[in-house]
Amino acid sequence: MDTALTTLFLGTTRGAVFALVAMGLVLVWRGAGIVNFAQMGQAMFSTYIASSLIISGHGYWFAFATALIAGALLGALVDVAVMRPLTKRSHSGILASESMRATVPVIASLGILGILQSLAGMLWAAEERGFPSPVSDVAVKAFGKTAPFTNFDLFIIIVVLLTLAATTLFFTKTGMGLAMRATALNPEVARLSGIRIGRVRTLSWAISGVASSLAGLLITPSANLSPNTLDLILIVGFTAAVVGGLESLPGSVVGGFILGLLIAVVNVYDAPDDVFLALLIFLLVVLIVKPGGLFGSKRVRNV
Amino acid sequence: MLEIRNLIASYGPVLAIRDISFTADAGKITTVIGANGAGKSTLLRVISGLEPATSGSITWQGHSLLNKTPEAIVRLGVAHVPEGHAVIASLTVAENIEMGALFRRRAHKQDVRVAISEMYALFPRLEERRNQLAGTLSGGERQMLAISRALVSRPSLLLLDEPSLGLAPLVVEQIIATIKQLCISTGLSVLLVEQNANTALAVADHGVLLSLGSVVADQPASLMRADSALRSAYLGY
Amino acid sequence: MFKYKRTGIRNLAIALIFTVAIIALGAILDPYNQGQLAVVSMLFIGVLSVTLLTGTSGQISLGQGALMAVGGYASALTILNLGLSIWFALVMAIIVSALAGLLLGFAAARLTGPYLAGTTLVLALALPSLAIRFESVLGGDVGLNVDFGNPPAWLVSAFGEIGYEQWQLYATVPLTCLALLATANILSSRTGRMWRAIRDHESAASLMGINVSNNKIFTFVVSSGFAGLSGALYGLRGIVGPSVYPISLSLLLLTGAILGGLRSIAGALIGSALVVFLPDLIEWATRPLALSEQIGNYLPGLIGGVLLHLTVILNPGGIAHALHRHKNK
Ligand SMILES: Nc1ncnc2c1ncn2[C@@H]1O[C@H](COP(=O)(O)OP(=O)(O)OP(=O)(O)O)[C@@H](O)[C@H]1O
Ligand SMILES: [Mg+2]
């Protein structure tokens, strides 16, 4: 019974972080039609910035805020410096073919990942670093009993829920949120309505950068920080996004929690080594049985 | 005044508009008619910046519209309702209308609110369906929504592409009458593209007949209506 | 028909010249560079698998490294468990990885760009899990020990003393040549044209009566066979294990293919030489600067990433395409 509860809480906290990663992917996919494989590279970079600030004596929250801003700027930079020039050229040469327009941004994002990881390695050494958590890592005590989760777990869940609420409000209640949805759904009508879709897309990249940096800041206290640590998180986030339909923000969040639980179950009841095997099987089953994801539209994926 | 001079536009090797020149007066309805594939939609898409022109010039009230993005052209007061009930299906009716006014919401906060309520007054059926998804509207309602989305930005020039597409004649008449009313009351200029020459020429002040990307007639609507030879040569009836 | 024959003869000539050149080079290089050249020949086959899959049919896979691993394990198991020679093992590698490609192809035929990329990436990551799960057979984290064995007596009597690296090179080059010829034939055949049609315009291709999904699956089968052969040779250098086929290997193949030129055999050759020798080249060029180890370790990755970017944005056809254009000017 206790193991089951522990698994449940482990799954929920991890799932919350995966949900953030998946959200980041969905934001860029909807806004720009690109799956950003460099996303967790960006997150790793901004987490390193936070870590360096903390090491040099700054407070946690200052570092935290700086990392989020850095994440936003990095996301915007990737769009402006790489993806925009790419889409501008998208009707010439090798990019003229349909399939390559889908393929080339993937390659470009892998290039960014390589650059960020190498730069991080050069700047911050290769050895792994720990990363602090803002609240104590001890189990919560209530009514004289020890709960199967820590203060930090609670903190993660609260931060993620707040982020979800803020994002939902932003998308449904603000003009910019409406502009972002319109751009994702129908860029032509959005432009005819006077929405500057280039800027809106850059903003999608920036918000995605914030979400993934947040994920980085929340996951590294329980892992270690190195140029490659967050790669695996990206894969889990990708699977979560696909489970959620890749188009749907709420879907990606649910997908994140499902994967958190799946991975916790495999970790606790089976062996940690099997996680990626489980992930692969799960992903294939979803793609074969429900190719539109659990929440996706019925739109077919090919063409 | 909308002034188009020696406009040429193509899709890759396909020449869709070959050297078009005409002017459309402010405050008037000018209709562009022609058979399928004559280049009517392309003309509107070039004016609103959705497609690039190869050469020529387009000016609206002294501003050149060439080499500008659609976002910038809307800000010059040119609103385009593209072919086929262009609304965003998974946004609500209210959101679709609000979207059209987004770019003015900072500078003209008060007026945007007024403009939105004017749209509901113009098309009461939309008001009843405010919170419904646009995808669930009927064809006619969707066209009304698409027009509202454009009008809510308070344009001085409205580019209207085949509002009659797939609609019952009664609904079309209603929509066109509304537009005509707006022209008279607010001085709105309209460039109306139509398949159905009779409906269009009945309300328009001026007519431009396109064939295979060229202007073959450019005259007052009443004259064009009476010219049966022209009609049978280019429109087939 | 006549034209086809001519290109066939031309390809054969190119392949022969390539073989002779490599063998001659192998005789004069030091063992380290012999080894590197052997790796180029091995990876060339892997990059060709990307040329076929991504360059010709427009599908992207981040799991080519995993298919190389399938080939590696298949050959290692054939050698260790069945006691057969490396030549049998290589054939086994091609067959088994082609079968794996068939399975992957069924999934791939339903997926486009980013979905396919993500799924194949997960596949590549799941591989070490498999090796550990079936540790008794696959050797777990450490892997299985295999090697090219000793050069046959007739070769030694023909060339004199042959070092291990040199033997790796000589054993690989004929196979690389066969792969090159096979690719050239596929590219100039009807099949190659169908693949390109699908790449350029899938719906138009299907209207022309091309069976899109069957062709996509077939591309995966062929490409996986190539990857498997490449992986088997790569593993025969010493170990077949998860650390030999990391996820970065898939990215290395893709980088090579893009930098060299995604659409031609020459591009694949240039690309594989580039990714193998680039680190050496950078090390040599920056030696006078006395860079710290930390920077030196990551410099190739950085430069590779930047080159990838510049290529994708400024010269998407790669080096081969740029050279070709230059020549035609
Ligand atoms: N995206 C495109 N790519 C290539 N050619 C196009 C494209 N859009 C239109 N065309 C071609 O340009 C020409 C003019 O098309 P356009 O849509 O402007 O005609 P239209 O007058 O609006 O016709 P309809 O009355 O049927 O709407 C046609 O020959 C059409 O085939
Ligand atoms: Mg039209």
Side-chain angles (χ1 to χ4, degrees):
Chain A
M1 186 56 214
D2 257 9
T3 337
L5 264 183
T6 318
T7 313
L8 185 66
F9 280 103
L10 181 70
T12 315
T13 35
R14 285 296 159 83
V17 177
F18 299 150
L20 281 177
V21 179
M23 267 176 65
L25 286 169
V26 169
L27 276 169
V28 168
W29 170 255
R30 282 174 39 129
I34 292 169
V35 169
N36 179 17
F37 284 95
Q39 181 176 293
M40 292 321 279
Q42 295 160 231
M44 171 275 299
F45 211 82
S46 41
T47 310
Y48 258 113
I49 292 178
S51 151
S52 304
L53 285 173
I54 292 173
I55 288 174
S56 65
H58 293 276
Y60 179 88
W61 294 110
F62 174 74
F64 185 88
T66 313
L68 295 187
I69 294 170
L73 292 178
L74 213 51
L77 182 72
V78 168
D79 182 40
V80 174
V82 181
M83 296 307 173
R84 275 203 207 177
L86 254 188
T87 38
K88 262 205 198 104
R89 294 179 48 103
S90 69
H91 289 281
S92 61
I94 193 169
L95 293 176
S97 66
E98 196 172 78
S99 57
M100 292 317 273
R101 275 202 289 281
T103 302
V104 169
V106 171
I107 296 169
S109 70
L110 290 169
I112 299 169
L113 182 64
I115 292 176
L116 288 173
Q117 289 182 337
S118 314
L119 271 181
M122 286 180 179
L123 289 170
W124 294 299
E127 69 262 28
E128 299 195 336
R129 285 184 185 184
F131 189 78
S133 60
V135 294
S136 73
D137 214 357
V138 297
V140 173
K141 287 210 173 85
F143 310 113
K145 276 193 171 174
T146 313
F149 51 90
T150 67
N151 279 324
F152 185 54
D153 289 337
L154 270 186
F155 173 75
I156 290 181
I157 291 180
I158 290 170
V159 168
V160 172
L161 289 181
L162 282 178
T163 313
L164 287 182
T167 331
T168 312
L169 283 179
F170 171 75
F171 275 107
T172 51
K173 299 286 178 225
T174 70
M176 191 37 104
L178 176 59
M180 284 182 75
R181 279 186 295 151
T183 304
L185 292 167
N186 189 336
E188 186 169 297
V189 173
R191 301 184 82 182
L192 289 176
S193 306
I195 295 168
R196 294 185 165 116
I197 61 166
R199 293 187 198 181
V200 168
R201 285 199 172 135
T202 306
L203 188 68
S204 311
W205 280 88
I207 298 179
S208 156
V210 174
S212 45
S213 297
L214 190 56
L217 292 168
L218 295 178
I219 197 80
T220 29
S222 26
N224 267 327
L225 187 54
S226 82
N228 299 308
T229 21
L230 298 180
D231 290 3
L232 305 184
I233 311 283
L234 174 86
I235 291 305
V236 183
F238 171 80
T239 311
V242 170
V243 169
L246 206 52
E247 298 269 340
S248 144
L249 276 177
S252 69
V253 172
V254 177
F257 282 106
I258 292 179
L259 277 159
L261 288 173
L262 174 77
I263 289 176
V265 167
V266 174
N267 261 319
V268 173
Y269 292 96
D270 185 38
D273 286 324
D274 283 345
V275 163
F276 285 101
L277 209 53
L279 207 61
L280 178 67
I281 294 169
F282 187 64
L283 180 62
L284 287 177
V285 169
V286 169
L287 285 174
I288 290 166
V289 179
K290 271 196 97 88
L294 302 182
F295 294 82
S297 50
K298 285 179 201 69
R299 196 145 55 119
V300 205
R301 236 141 238 212
N302 343 355
V303 189
Chain B
M1 190 172 74
L2 177 72
E3 191 168 4
I4 293 173
R5 288 278 157 264
N6 304 107
L7 188 68
I8 297 177
S10 58
Y11 297 100
V14 183
L15 207 56
I17 290 187
R18 0 183 147 212
D19 200 2
I20 284 185
S21 302
F22 71 90
T23 58
D25 291 332
K28 297 274 158 56
I29 297 184
T30 305
T31 183
V32 178
I33 52 180
N36 290 117
K40 308 180 296 289
S41 299
T42 307
L43 174 65
L44 293 198
R45 292 175 69 82
V46 172
I47 297 175
S48 69
L50 287 174
E51 304 289 344
T54 313
S55 65
S57 75
I58 305 175
T59 51
W60 168 242
Q61 293 174 337
H63 299 282
S64 167
L65 302 186
L66 239 44
N67 300 322
K68 289 202 167 70
T69 59
E71 298 92 299
I73 289 172
V74 180
R75 286 171 170 76
L76 293 172
V78 179
H80 182 184
V81 182
E83 203 165 355
H85 323 308
V87 298
I88 299 188
S90 30
L91 297 182
T92 64
V93 169
E95 283 171 336
N96 268 285
I97 296 182
E98 195 189 331
M99 173 175 72
L102 274 182
F103 74 94
R104 296 178 76 235
R105 75 186 188 284
R106 289 243 178 71
H108 309 276
K109 205 169 171 188
Q110 204 55 48
D111 184 55
V112 163
R113 224 171 282 151
V114 177
I116 291 177
S117 54
E118 278 175 22
M119 292 307 119
Y120 288 131
L122 213 54
F123 301 111
R125 300 169 71 142
L126 295 181
E127 168 124 61
E128 293 159 26
R129 293 165 174 74
R130 287 180 61 114
N131 296 318
Q132 211 167 309
L133 291 185
T136 64
L137 296 180
S138 78
E141 289 159 356
R142 252 186 255 189
Q143 190 59 269
M144 293 174 197
L145 182 57
I147 292 172
S148 306
R149 194 227 86 229
L151 285 178
V152 78
S153 67
R154 294 223 188 277
S156 45
L157 172 62
L158 182 68
L159 310 174
L160 205 50
D161 199 344
E162 287 196 41
S164 65
L165 197 75
L167 303 190
L170 207 65
V171 183
V172 178
E173 253 167 53
Q174 210 180 3
I175 291 180
I176 300 240
T178 312
I179 299 288
K180 179 87 185 171
Q181 205 61 53
L182 272 176
C183 277
I184 295 165
S185 62
T186 67
L188 175 73
S189 319
V190 178
L191 200 57
L192 173 67
V193 160
E194 260 300 341
Q195 277 286 329
N196 188 337
N198 282 333
T199 323
L201 289 172
V203 289
D205 302 289
H206 200 84
V208 173
L209 178 58
L210 287 191
S211 174
L212 300 176
S214 306
V215 175
V216 289
D218 176 1
Q219 48 190 229
S222 49
L223 275 182
M224 201 175 267
R225 251 177 112 184
D227 192 341
S228 56
L230 197 70
R231 275 217 311 248
S232 60
Y234 291 101
L235 299 171
Y237 58 89
Chain C
M1 191 58 215
F2 182 65
K3 191 167 164 242
Y4 177 70
K5 231 182 203 162
R6 257 202 352 223
T7 53
I9 291 170
R10 204 191 66 183
N11 290 340
L12 200 62
I14 292 175
L16 278 177
I17 292 170
F18 173 77
T19 316
V20 172
I22 299 276
I23 289 178
L25 256 178
I28 56 172
L29 288 173
D30 58 42
Y32 173 75
N33 281 313
Q34 285 171 346
Q36 290 288 79
L37 205 55
V39 173
V40 172
S41 316
M42 294 163 187
L43 290 187
F44 180 37
I45 305 176
V47 174
L48 282 177
S49 82
V50 178
T51 307
L52 287 169
L53 190 69
T54 310
T56 313
S57 100
Q59 307 182 75
I60 188 169
S61 161
L62 304 182
Q64 292 305 90
L67 289 164
M68 284 177 69
V70 170
Y73 279 107
S75 70
L77 293 176
T78 311
I79 294 170
L80 298 175
N81 293 3
L82 304 179
L84 295 172
S85 77
I86 63 169
W87 310 108
F88 273 107
L90 292 173
V91 173
M92 251 339 235
I94 296 176
I95 294 172
V96 174
S97 52
L99 285 176
L102 183 67
L103 289 181
L104 197 55
F106 278 119
R110 312 177 52 154
L111 304 173
T112 49
Y115 284 97
L116 189 53
T119 310
T120 47
L121 191 58
V122 178
L123 173 77
L125 283 166
L127 186 88
S129 304
L130 270 179
I132 293 163
R133 177 109 284 230
F134 302 101
E135 185 162 6
S136 55
V137 188
L138 301 179
D141 261 337
V142 184
L144 306 165
N145 287 310
V146 280
D147 59 46
F148 276 96
N150 293 319
W154 60 267
L155 200 65
V156 179
S157 60
F159 282 85
E161 192 61 32
I162 291 180
Y164 185 59
E165 283 81 7
Q166 201 174 356
W167 166 228
Q168 283 182 14
L169 179 63
Y170 289 176
T172 305
V173 164
L175 296 166
T176 309
C177 245
L178 284 179
L180 194 159
L181 276 176
T183 311
N185 280 328
I186 294 172
L187 290 185
S188 58
S189 72
R190 212 176 97 80
T191 311
R193 280 198 304 277
M194 289 200 288
W195 290 358
R196 283 191 290 269
I198 293 172
R199 171 194 73 193
D200 290 339
H201 210 306
E202 196 172 308
S203 35
S206 97
L207 284 179
M208 271 154 52
I210 296 176
N211 186 330
V212 171
S213 56
N214 278 1
N215 268 291
K216 281 186 167 181
I217 295 171
F218 186 46
T219 321
F220 251 95
V221 171
V222 174
S223 160
S224 304
F226 275 71
L229 175 61
S230 163
L233 290 165
Y234 199 63
L236 279 174
R237 291 176 313 145
I239 296 179
V240 168
S243 61
V244 181
Y245 308 98
I247 183 80
S248 55
L249 184 59
S250 305
L251 303 188
L252 193 76
L253 294 184
L254 198 59
T255 308
I258 304 267
L259 292 185
L262 203 44
R263 293 196 175 170
S264 69
I265 296 175
L269 181 58
I270 296 170
S272 30
L274 201 62
V275 291
V276 173
F277 286 113
L278 192 66
D280 292 344
L281 206 66
I282 292 171
E283 208 256 335
W284 172 80
T286 56
R287 200 172 299 154
L289 303 175
L291 296 176
S292 72
E293 193 187 330
Q294 188 181 335
I295 297 207
N297 280 345
Y298 283 97
L299 201 55
L302 182 65
I303 292 181
V306 171
L307 285 179
L308 193 62
H309 260 281
L310 294 178
T311 304
V312 167
I313 294 179
L314 301 175
N315 178 35
I319 297 172
H321 182 70
L323 290 177
H324 190 70
R325 230 177 14 201
H326 193 71
K327 200 178 74 186
N328 286 358
K329 250 182 200 160

